[in-house]
Amino acid sequence: MAKLELRPLGKTGLKLSCVGFGASPLGNVFGQISEEDAVASVREAFRLGINFFDTSPYYGGTLSETVLGKALQDLGVKRDEFVVSTKCGRYVEGFDFSAERVARSVDESLARLKLDYVDILQCHDIEFGSLDQIVNETIPALQKLKEAGKIRFIGITGLPLTVFTYVLDRVPPGSVDVILSYCHYSINDSALEDLLPYLMNKGVGVISASPLAMGLLTENGPPEWHPASAQLKSACQAAGQLCRKKGKNISKIALQYSLANEKISSVLVGMNSVKQVEENVAAALELMSMGRDEETQKEVVAILEPVKNQTWPSGNQQS
């Protein structure tokens, strides 16, 4: 059986499956999922070659971490066979990037995940905190946790791309190992591409999440709370209809678009069922063996051109 491609993550020495398992749905973030289904989807993902699992204490108010921990334990495999990333700084009760809270957060996450260490610990949605605090307090606190062996690598996540350059230009080289960007490397918004040479130059690994733009690029369309403009929603809907007429699936076209850029180590996709896992892995394997459906992709790109890179505001004015 063909196996998913493994890609190096910056200078970490880690190799991540090109499709990563986004575990936010395990926290019932996108509707109820039984623990049985959650465990089964993690098991199937691992069996099909997904070795990278990403969560956060924020997802489902710690439920995602708890369920993922149980599912990983149920795999019964050696710890070095999978890579786990979790986050700190964002919680159901609000944001707190202080050194004290971060240290406590890591211990709480390790207990829920039933692990001795996490491979990657990321500061979660840093645009909502003080970026100077991230630089001067949070990252130094994470360095200490790294020295203590509780985390192996340090990352930052956020929606506005400017937060990455702000932090990376101010911390000592090598103190941030990875960035996680979302909604900026999908078929409707590829703004992350412009930042890749800078990140490569800094030796920082790149993970991209939300290739389906938080539901815009799906058959069902986005959830009610989606912050996109009416124009962007309408263009994505038109692209979905075009694909349906051709007997294609917009989600598959969008996922393959994101996976095709090998400078991105892993594309994180939220998954909450065995069926979703199988579809995402199949899309990646098809891309490896047959390439993209260039014709349909071009037509989708043309429909989305008027709204290209028009991702919604991040809400960072609240910070």
Side-chain angles (χ1 to χ4, degrees):
M1 188 177 83
K3 273 286 189 188
L4 281 180
E5 180 189 359
L6 296 177
R7 297 178 181 173
L9 178 67
K11 293 181 172 174
T12 63
L14 295 174
K15 288 198 163 177
L16 306 186
S17 48
C18 59
V19 176
F21 189 105
S24 66
L26 305 191
N28 293 335
V29 176
F30 297 97
Q32 292 292 316
I33 166 174
S34 72
E35 191 174 286
E36 192 183 354
D37 285 347
V39 169
S41 54
V42 169
R43 185 182 301 120
E44 183 66 357
F46 185 76
R47 188 183 76 80
L48 292 176
I50 291 177
N51 73 344
F52 176 45
F53 299 86
D54 175 85
T55 183
S56 165
Y58 176 64
Y59 301 148
T62 74
L63 181 63
S64 169
E65 282 189 329
T66 303
V67 173
L68 181 62
K70 183 178 188 314
L72 291 172
Q73 190 179 48
D74 277 11
L75 291 177
V77 298
K78 294 207 299 282
R79 174 65 184 89
D80 63 1
E81 288 187 41
F82 55 84
V83 175
V84 176
S85 159
T86 194
K87 306 184 184 79
C88 65
R90 182 168 203 181
Y91 312 97
V92 170
E93 58 273 20
F95 291 88
D96 186 347
F97 291 100
S98 66
E100 185 274 329
R101 183 66 184 102
V102 164
R104 203 167 80 240
S105 183
V106 171
D107 287 337
E108 291 165 357
S109 290
L110 290 175
R112 286 190 286 265
L113 288 163
K114 305 179 194 293
L115 298 174
D116 297 327
Y117 66 88
V118 287
D119 299 280
I120 307 165
L121 196 285
Q122 310 192 70
C123 304
H124 196 175
D125 290 344
I126 59 175
E127 68 266 29
F128 292 100
S130 150
L131 295 184
D132 291 327
Q133 182 187 31
I134 301 289
V135 169
N136 300 315
E137 183 181 348
T138 319
I139 292 188
L142 294 183
Q143 293 286 359
K144 287 183 183 158
L145 293 165
K146 191 175 180 178
E147 286 156 23
K150 291 181 180 184
I151 65 180
R152 292 180 67 200
F153 302 105
I154 294 168
I156 49 179
T157 87
L159 182 64
L161 296 173
T162 49
V163 299
F164 300 126
T165 49
Y166 187 95
V167 171
L168 290 169
D169 284 344
R170 287 164 178 78
V171 294
S175 48
V176 172
D177 303 290
V178 55
I179 66 113
L180 190 161
S181 166
Y182 68 100
C183 293
H184 285 308
Y185 201 84
S186 47
I187 202 163
N188 65 299
D189 184 333
S190 57
L192 178 63
E193 196 153 23
D194 294 340
L195 200 60
L196 291 177
Y198 165 90
L199 294 166
M200 302 289 140
N201 190 40
K202 292 271 187 190
V204 173
V206 181
I207 296 163
S208 178
S210 295
L212 309 183
M214 300 190 330
L216 283 176
L217 303 168
T218 59
E219 291 277 334
N220 296 333
E224 272 177 41
W225 49 260
H226 203 290
S229 68
Q231 190 193 8
L232 177 53
K233 284 179 180 171
S234 155
C236 290
Q237 196 178 4
Q241 282 165 349
L242 165 96
C243 291
R244 207 172 306 125
K245 272 190 195 138
K246 298 185 71 171
K248 311 281 183 180
N249 184 309
I250 183 74
S251 298
K252 184 162 112 176
I253 299 288
L255 177 57
Q256 290 182 335
Y257 176 92
S258 298
L259 285 169
N261 191 329
E262 295 193 359
K263 289 178 181 163
I264 292 168
S265 301
S266 189
V267 176
L268 273 174
V269 192
M271 306 188 216
N272 64 5
S273 68
V274 166
K275 181 172 179 277
Q276 282 182 358
V277 170
E278 288 171 347
E279 285 171 353
N280 291 326
V281 171
L285 293 176
E286 180 184 286
L287 180 67
M288 283 163 60
S289 62
M290 296 160 62
R292 290 186 266 188
D293 178 346
E294 299 284 355
E295 183 196 322
T296 306
Q297 190 181 290
K298 273 192 189 128
E299 292 174 49
V300 168
V301 166
I303 291 173
L304 297 176
E305 190 57 44
V307 292
K308 181 86 172 157
N309 293 0
Q310 285 183 24
T311 295
W312 46 94
S314 66
N316 59 337
Q317 57 271 26
Q318 296 169 30
S319 58

